[in-house]
Amino acid sequence: MTGNGRDLRALFSSNDRRLEAAEAFTNRQGQWELVQSALAEHLARIAAASFDVEDLEAPRTNVLVFHGVGGIGKTTFSRTLEATLAGAGERPARWGEPAWPARPALLPVRIDLARSAGTDFERIILTLRLALAAHLGRPLPAFDIALKRYWEHQHPGESLEEYLTRGGLAARFGKALPQQVQSVLSDVAQALLLPGTVGTAVGALTGALTTALRERRQTVRALAACHRLADVLDAEPDLDALSYYPHLLAFELARLPADQAVVPVVLLDTFEDTGTRTHRDLERLLQRLVWLMPNAFFVVTGRGRLQWADTGLEGQLDYTGSTSWPGLAGQAVPGPRPGGNPTGAGRQVLIGDFSPEDCTDYLARRLTRDGRPLIAPALREVIAEQSHGLPLYLDLAAHRFLELHRTGRTPSAGDFGADFPALLTRTLADLTPDERHLLRAVSLLDAFDLPLAAATAGLSHLSAAARMVERPFVRRDDFALWPYHLHALIRSTLRTADDATDDRWTDTDWTQAASRALAALGAQWQAAPGPDRRLLVGCLRQGLALARDHRLDLGWLTDAAFAYTDDYVWEPLPLPARDGDEEIATGADALAELLSALARRQHEHRSTTVSRLTEVLDSGLLPAELADLALYYRAKAYRDLGQAAESRDGMRRVADRGGRLAPDAARGLAHLARVSGDFPAALATARTLGWPGRGSRVLGDIHFAHGDMSQAATAFTTARTEAEQHGNRGEQAIAQANLALTYAFADPGRADEEIALAEHLLTGLDQRATALTVQVAALARQAGTLTTLDEARTLRTEIHAAGITAAHAALELALVFHHAVAGEQDKAQAAVTRLTELTRTGDYRYCVDAAHHMAGLRMSEPSTVSWLDGPDTVRARWRDLVQARRDQLRAQP
């Protein structure tokens, strides 16, 4: 970073004479390296013997473009490039010294194209010629003659010297140009033997010169080498003709002696102010300048990319297409990039945001007093984070700091929590009305594609959206569900800053746009050709936020909520969290909290899930079918907590209503019957469930409890197959986990394969209970061979944190199995005791029976379980599993 002038606005904002306010420049090392590389290639190209400055058909590679959102530091970068190229003493230390040859010399010429600078094409040409006049100290005859003719025709009665003095150009570059032009005229007049030199009319002189050129007279042989000079002098000397004069300038530069050779590096800043996408008059003239001076190098900085390689501009510009501008092709939209690093193929470079380190560095150097940063380190970190890397925000924050500082108090983080309206004004400045409308619309969305953007804005065509996504404040990620998203700070500013623009939106406008966006998201999801989980979750996430923030009706979100829960995948739906004291006020609030609770239950204790779902139900804001969803999952959480009565009440209420979740509630009642040991009732219900109620899985649970691992495996395999046929990944994983647990008791060799498949199916899913089942299966598979129980202790802690009684019971049952196989009666008894205490409420008492059977222990009290096959058969099956495992271990070498 290096200072780049004084910030007079800041200095005139305080009486503190010790205050130093510098227009800080933050390191753009990556962009500087690109400039070095491109310039080195350019110098090598024009030095080659094959290079011909008068070749008007060869592709042009003499332009480098840096574009980015307003306030990103493009102008500062352009100014620093000018200073760096003008002399090594002005180069930022970290940029390093370039390895360019001493000749040709580089001549930086920076031209500000901003409307406020009042720069027209005539002034651009004069600026370039004046810079060369000051550097070379010699005339450039072909160009100077044409310029003099143009000037006499367009500015009759006004001398060039007067114009340059009045416009400030003479003060910047000196007054050498008029004298050089006059010297040329005198030389040409003498060469043509015209009477007089100074007094000869330019019209007569150029007419005679044109004739001499066409007759190829020896007296003008030097100028005759410029093959197109006669044609240029014959043309009407208007602005259009002036735009072709750069060819003459390029010709003269190519003729310079080696010891005077110079390469102009023309820095065209604020290029967006050259016109609009439908009015390209100045841009067309500038493009001619670049094309006709292939031996000069141009660095363009602006908000948008150069479209010169687009064939669609044929007719608006003279030279278009990727063949003409190969370095500018393939840059249809900006790509994703990290802060502070340049990206972009060829010669079209999107300037990224500052890195966090650059942000804090900028703030440290922006305002100083007695050589020390005025802004404290902690506050610099806060401002840097809120800036999202946007330099304009940092600059505005520095001025806000000064405004607060001069009141006598120390600014704090809370003073920078609001966005700056100036960001909004700068962002909207050069957009068309349709683009401004679209930009506000898409600020409602986290991400979007062209149809979604147009629908949200209420536009029937995509053309405006296609233009808008080329803007540098729109980022692109081709791997995302929707490829486009706004710069984070620009988006938040559009939504929260005070909008003082003439076309600002009212609250009604925002609500209507949100309603259109919600409808468009629903249409995209409903139009999908098949189940698309990624699209579902994306539409739900954005749709819930829109409905909640703008108090919209739920509409399609109800169906989407059920689709989300059907697969048991439980991807997170990150939404802005409600404040602790904020009540559930709308149906969208209630649905967002409901789905958040269901996703978060994979990471929270089930008691927390019960509390959150109770709050949702108590709000009374959900329609009946969504209230059933909350009631059903609260009943499931009650069952996991071992609160059977509360679980049974909820399941029965949902089943009795006969809604979408009635089959699930019936399955829940079957599970509760099994948990309580009423297997006849569980079996009777299971046989009525079919696929909608996941009947095969329920049957597998019943057979497992009876120690009938063969039938259990068959049932779980059927359940997995049915889930696969219905495309339900979550149910597949649940069935496979139970199948793995079954084989972990019955066949350890097969169990390895089933556990691996279960872990594979769980990849990308968020099913805590199912994952715990697989971990229990991995322990049970090692029954009789475990050398330490550390893994079991860790798993017990994890299960306790989840609040899932079924997993706890399965773990203790697996440990009893291990101790029984190993003949560790005392440890088996301890595990049975833990299991007995766990099932004190009466639920999962069948596990206590099975544990006694495996360990060969006498029941201390009569069993309360209603077995289907009788207790003796069940006892024999569980005991046989232990003996079979012992026999397998003995048979191993």
Side-chain angles (χ1 to χ4, degrees), residues 520-665:
L521 287 165
Q524 281 200 3
W525 171 58
Q526 292 162 342
D532 187 335
R533 187 76 188 182
R534 186 172 177 233
L535 179 62
L536 165 66
V537 172
C539 289
L540 250 182
R541 178 175 50 79
Q542 295 217 69
L544 277 172
L546 287 165
R548 196 180 79 168
D549 294 346
H550 299 274
R551 295 176 174 265
L552 304 177
D553 293 335
L554 296 180
W556 61 270
L557 290 170
T558 296
D559 290 335
F562 279 99
Y564 172 75
T565 59
D566 281 346
D567 285 349
Y568 318 135
V569 177
W570 311 121
E571 304 95 331
L573 291 168
L575 294 171
R578 292 186 301 124
D579 294 335
D581 298 331
E582 187 179 355
E583 294 183 355
I584 296 176
T586 66
D589 284 340
L591 180 55
E593 178 65 11
L594 166 60
L595 295 182
S596 175
L598 297 186
R600 286 297 305 164
R601 73 194 180 102
Q602 308 301 326
H603 307 280
E604 295 174 341
H605 196 276
R606 288 299 196 262
S607 61
T608 302
T609 305
V610 167
S611 297
R612 294 183 67 178
L613 294 179
T614 298
E615 183 185 10
V616 169
L617 288 165
D618 289 347
S619 73
L621 293 169
L622 288 177
E625 56 185 343
L626 286 174
D628 275 356
L629 188 64
L631 190 59
Y632 168 73
Y633 277 100
R634 187 178 69 169
K636 284 193 68 174
Y638 275 134
R639 187 186 73 207
D640 290 338
L641 292 169
Q643 297 176 243
E646 292 86 347
S647 179
R648 189 174 289 106
D649 175 67
M651 292 293 184
R652 186 170 289 117
R653 287 163 62 186
V654 176
D656 290 346
R657 289 174 185 168
R660 298 195 207 196
L661 289 172
D664 297 89

Side-chain angles (χ1 to χ4, degrees), residues 76 158 161 225 332 340 413 554 635 669 884:
T76 304
E158 181 181 21
E161 185 172 6
L554 296 180
L669 291 170

Side-chain angles (χ1 to χ4, degrees), residues 605-606 639-642 741 745 768-777 779 792-816 830-840 843-844 846-848 851:
H605 196 276
R606 288 299 196 262
R639 187 186 73 207
D640 290 338
L641 292 169
L741 182 62
F745 279 87
R768 193 175 194 180
T770 306
L772 293 174
T773 299
V774 175
Q775 290 177 264
V776 172
L779 278 173
R793 296 187 188 96
T794 301
L795 183 54
R796 186 182 293 116
T797 300
E798 185 178 346
I799 291 171
H800 180 75
I804 302 176
T805 304
H808 201 167
L811 172 60
E812 298 301 342
L813 191 65
L815 290 174
V816 172
V832 170
T833 300
R834 290 194 301 270
L835 189 54
T836 302
E837 184 61 31
L838 178 66
T839 60
R840 185 63 65 187
D843 292 339
Y844 297 101
Y846 67 85
C847 291
V848 175

Side-chain angles (χ1 to χ4, degrees), residues 120-126 143 146-148 150-151 154-155 232 235-248 285 288-289 292:
D120 56 17
F121 187 71
E122 185 177 274
R123 188 177 178 90
I124 291 169
I125 294 297
L126 287 174
F143 177 86
L147 176 64
K148 182 63 174 178
Y150 169 85
W151 194 262
Q154 294 295 327
H155 298 267
V232 169
E236 180 72 16
D238 54 16
L239 186 65
D240 190 65
L242 179 66
S243 68
Y244 291 98
Y245 291 3
H247 172 73
L248 308 178
L285 301 178
R288 285 180 190 163
L289 168 66
L292 295 174

